[in-house]
Amino acid sequence: MTERDETQMTELTGLLIRRIREDGRTGYVTDADGKRRSLPAIPFRDYMAVCLYDEKHGYYAAGPNRVGREGDFYTSADIGGIMSAVLARFASGTFAGSGRPPVVFEWGAGTGRLGIRLLEEWRNIEPDRAASVRYVMADSHAGHREAARRGAAEAGFAASVEALAPDEAEARLAEAERPLILANELLDAFPFRRIKREGGMLWEIGAAYDEREGRLRDALMPLDQASLNRLEAEGLMPLEGQEAEWGTDALAWLEQMLGIVRAGRIVLIDYGDVQEELLAPHRMKGTMRCYRRHVVHDNPYRYPGDQDITAHVNFTAVMRTAEQCGWRTAWYGTQMRFLLEGGVLELLREHAGTDPFSPEARRNRAVRQLLLSDGMSELFKVVVLERP
């Protein structure tokens, strides 16, 4: 799909158009004939925030379940419980030797699949310690939280698990002593800014409504001096003609978490790379992608509120932010290396049966899929941040 695809007109689309008309600043679009004209526009970050988090229509805040077969995309938590098993061993090691009950927070927990399987695995390897775990699942989608509560109860963890809205979870986090925080495919869900260098200048990409063509589209907006200064300080300097994503919301969330927690560990799992790779010449259009019904495309304006919008995480910025907050990067690498060092091969089961759907065969297949399938475990990275 391309930027010229028709925009699906919905109640949310109307809301966005009104906001652009009322709050928009000057933006510039270039037509097929090469002529430039001005249109009111809002920063793409603001457009994306409405599409994902509007209370009534937002993709992550309302509507049906978004994850798994019935949703729009899969996560590593959906593949046979392997990530949960490795994280259970990591959590067990994190709290080894501690005399206090383990406290784990999972941000962006969705329907709770990863956390419930983690607790089940922990119960298998360390039943006494697992019985005392306090596990808080934070998610902005009310339907996801309800599904997490049901799943926890069915698995026997009703007393251990709380499924809360993010602001409620933050209040719990402030009271926690040396917690472990997990965030699996969370950072890519935050609204991001989009930057482009054109004509030797840095611009912010905004969202405009083109009355002439009857569609939402990109527009170039002047950047304020504070943003230009920060981009220069962070080294986020696209090439001429290149677009790049700037994850200021994700970094602000990380700063907030690091400020709340006095000591502990944070594990962030997401697809992305270091900044040098994200600004490489072969990434002239950035990394933004949209997902709807397990189909990927590149038009964020086609289905407002009814598609996921995401981009690669800049792990250079993540680690720099942590260090500025007084934390250190204890580990960084590919998901494959994290799984291998975490003992994933020990999860392979010998079996003599021929049933491809036996528990042993299914787990072995899940290990292979997570390690080898379509490069997922090389594209995904893991960073462990800690402060003693």
Side-chain angles (χ1 to χ4, degrees):
M1 293 189 181
T2 68
E3 188 184 21
R4 289 189 174 277
D5 290 332
E6 181 181 354
T7 299
Q8 184 185 54
M9 300 304 291
T10 64
E11 187 175 344
L12 181 60
T13 308
L15 184 154
L16 287 162
I17 293 171
R18 288 193 300 275
R19 179 165 179 181
I20 290 170
R21 288 170 175 165
E22 294 170 2
D23 301 335
R25 295 183 281 113
T26 301
Y28 301 95
V29 299
T30 302
D31 294 326
D33 58 6
K35 293 182 178 179
R36 174 176 282 189
R37 55 193 170 96
S38 62
L39 290 175
I42 59 175
F44 182 83
R45 179 261 165 222
D46 295 355
Y47 165 84
M48 184 176 169
V50 173
C51 288
L52 297 185
Y53 294 104
D54 177 79
E55 290 185 1
K56 184 177 180 182
H57 305 288
Y59 182 82
Y60 284 127
N65 177 27
R66 303 300 189 178
V67 185
R69 181 179 301 175
E70 69 275 21
D72 294 313
F73 55 88
Y74 289 101
T75 73
S76 56
D78 296 291
I79 304 178
I82 301 305
M83 179 58 76
S84 297
V86 171
L87 285 173
R89 286 157 175 74
F90 181 88
S92 176
T94 294
F95 294 104
S98 170
R100 62 187 183 280
V103 181
V104 181
F105 286 77
E106 183 188 347
W107 238 264
T111 58
R113 185 170 302 184
L114 183 143
I116 293 167
R117 287 176 168 177
L118 186 157
L119 290 170
E120 289 174 333
E121 292 285 347
W122 201 344
R123 184 168 56 191
N124 290 336
I125 62 176
E126 198 178 19
D128 292 339
R129 176 58 67 89
S132 67
V133 174
R134 177 185 169 203
Y135 199 103
V136 178
M137 299 179 180
D139 199 274
S140 60
H141 194 294
H144 288 175
R145 296 195 299 271
E146 182 55 36
R149 294 185 191 105
R150 289 198 305 270
E154 291 168 2
F157 297 114
S160 303
V161 171
E162 286 186 284
L164 304 175
D167 57 342
E168 297 172 316
E170 285 179 22
R172 296 283 196 280
L173 183 61
E175 302 167 353
E177 182 181 358
R178 303 182 64 83
L180 170 63
I181 301 175
L182 307 175
N184 183 48
E185 299 186 50
L186 171 72
L187 296 182
D188 70 279
F190 283 96
F192 49 79
R193 299 173 71 175
R194 295 170 62 205
I195 308 300
K196 183 175 184 179
R197 185 181 294 277
E198 185 172 291
M201 293 177 56
L202 285 177
W203 301 82
E204 178 145 24
I205 297 177
Y209 181 68
D210 194 330
E211 303 275 359
R212 182 185 301 178
E213 299 187 5
R215 65 185 177 100
L216 292 160
R217 63 182 299 187
D218 283 348
L220 294 182
M221 305 173 64
L223 276 162
D224 61 85
Q225 191 59 48
S227 294
L228 289 169
N229 292 343
R230 181 174 173 182
L231 285 166
E232 183 177 4
E234 295 181 4
L236 192 61
M237 293 282 119
L239 303 170
E240 177 64 29
Q242 186 178 41
E243 299 176 10
E245 295 81 26
W246 190 16
T248 51
D249 278 43
L251 297 179
W253 172 83
L254 180 58
E255 285 184 15
Q256 184 176 1
M257 292 297 104
L258 297 175
I260 293 173
V261 181
R262 292 179 293 276
R265 273 185 168 181
I266 299 180
V267 180
L268 305 171
I269 306 169
D270 230 307
Y271 61 95
D273 220 315
V274 293
Q275 184 163 289
E276 181 181 8
E277 171 61 25
L278 297 178
L279 294 177
H282 66 275
R283 294 195 183 277
M284 295 302 290
K285 294 293 291 181
T287 64
M288 181 181 66
R289 295 292 182 270
C290 305
Y291 291 87
R292 184 171 184 266
R293 298 174 185 172
H294 299 282
V295 175
V296 61
H297 64 94
D298 62 1
N299 184 354
Y301 303 117
R302 186 166 176 81
Y303 303 107
D306 196 30
Q307 64 184 2
D308 191 19
I309 307 172
T310 183
H312 283 35
V313 172
N314 182 336
F315 280 100
T316 298
V318 167
M319 290 184 280
R320 179 176 58 239
T321 298
E323 290 162 8
Q324 290 171 346
C325 292
W327 289 62
R328 75 178 190 94
T329 300
W331 196 95
Y332 171 73
T334 65
Q335 180 175 278
M336 176 182 287
R337 187 159 70 89
F338 181 79
L339 291 170
L340 290 171
E341 291 183 10
V344 69
L345 296 182
E346 299 172 10
L347 302 176
L348 291 170
R349 306 282 176 79
E350 290 188 11
H351 63 100
T354 58
D355 180 5
F357 301 105
S358 69
E360 295 82 4
R362 293 177 66 179
R363 168 151 284 199
N364 290 351
R365 191 160 55 247
V367 171
R368 290 193 298 270
Q369 182 179 356
L370 198 55
L371 289 179
L372 304 176
S373 176
D374 63 25
M376 179 179 182
S377 277
E378 290 292 330
L379 176 62
F380 276 71
K381 308 299 189 301
V382 180
V383 61
V384 180
L385 307 173
E386 68 179 19
R387 184 159 66 182

